[in-house]
Amino acid sequence: MNPIHPIDQLIAIMARLRDPEDGCPWDLEQTFRTILPYTLEEAYEVAEAIEREDMAALRDELSDLLLQVVFHARMAEEGGHFAFADVVAAICDKLIRRHPHVFGAAELADAAAIRVRWEQIKAAERAGTESGESNGILAGVARALPALVRAEKLQRRAARVGFDWDEVSAVFDKVEEELAECRATLAEHSDPTERVHEIGDLLFCS
């Protein structure tokens, strides 16, 4: 008899832990929201292992992160939404769709052309969603990201459509302009919301 595949074993273990009859009480009381902090923590621990170039730690942290995926998928399956196999199928479909130069007939000259095509495909995907959200160039940037990380990602998106400066000197000019506006809002005892907006503009161009 062939031994059980490790991923199948992991899925079976998770199902047992969530078994209403003889599962683990702690695992049974968890929800998507209560597990979310652990998911984020594990992602950061993966990042830390990569920064340290510690491959043994990376293996362990990736396994912890994989557990989070399986945990969420199991809860979704219990709710009749989707199962782990659907998660895997979704990423397989996405990778094939976003690499037409590998899995299709498209010919792309270099990494830059591949990046452009990748963004075009993502834009088409966003346009086809039924979430009701905007599908413009800034759509799809998770609101749950840490503020500075989200700001940086939004800036990179904007730069792709030319919303950026060609010369560093222009950046300094803009920084001085926004700094002056920040000072003005403080001197005029303006509305706190306006101050926040001006500080945000300064951060954006910095």
Side-chain angles (χ1 to χ4, degrees):
M1 184 174 66
N2 293 330
I4 186 171
H5 192 280
I7 193 64
D8 293 326
Q9 183 181 20
L10 175 58
I11 293 171
I13 290 172
M14 192 69 251
R16 175 64 187 279
L17 292 173
R18 292 277 299 181
D19 188 293
E21 298 297 327
D22 57 0
C24 170
W26 185 90
D27 289 280
L28 282 167
E29 70 180 14
Q30 300 312 308
T31 66
F32 294 111
R33 290 188 179 278
T34 62
I35 286 296
L36 178 57
Y38 300 103
T39 306
L40 296 173
E41 180 180 344
E42 297 301 347
Y44 281 116
E45 290 180 359
V46 167
E48 181 179 344
I50 292 172
E51 289 293 331
R52 298 202 317 264
E53 299 184 354
D54 187 336
M55 292 298 103
L58 179 58
R59 177 201 61 205
D60 291 341
E61 299 303 343
L62 285 172
S63 69
D64 290 341
L65 186 58
L66 177 59
L67 169 61
Q68 298 300 308
V69 176
V70 172
F71 207 141
H72 284 286
R74 178 61 197 178
M75 290 188 291
E77 184 175 1
E78 292 168 358
H81 307 295
F82 58 83
F84 181 79
D86 300 309
V87 176
V88 176
I91 192 58
C92 288
D93 290 344
K94 184 180 293 185
L95 287 172
I96 292 171
R97 186 170 61 250
R98 292 184 180 180
H99 291 82
H101 54 292
V102 176
F103 300 104
E107 295 185 5
L108 300 174
D110 51 29
I114 291 170
R115 181 67 181 177
V116 170
R117 182 58 179 148
W118 176 281
E119 292 301 330
Q120 291 172 342
I121 295 170
K122 287 179 64 177
E125 291 171 353
R126 288 194 295 270
T129 62
E130 299 178 356
S131 63
E133 296 182 359
S134 169
N135 52 31
I137 188 64
L138 300 181
V141 179
R143 295 181 181 275
L145 285 170
L148 288 177
V149 175
R150 186 167 189 267
E152 181 183 8
K153 193 164 185 177
L154 289 170
Q155 170 61 34
R156 288 201 303 269
R157 288 280 189 91
R160 291 174 195 157
V161 293
F163 195 76
D164 208 348
W165 292 276
D166 295 325
E167 301 293 336
V168 175
S169 59
V171 178
F172 284 115
D173 292 341
K174 188 62 178 177
V175 168
E176 290 173 359
E177 176 188 334
E178 296 298 345
L179 183 58
E181 292 179 3
C182 284
R183 286 173 174 156
T185 59
L186 291 174
E188 296 168 2
H189 304 289
S190 61
D191 179 66
T193 301
E194 183 179 353
R195 296 178 191 171
V196 169
H197 288 164
E198 294 300 341
I199 293 173
D201 289 344
L202 178 59
L203 177 62
F204 180 78
C205 65
S206 298

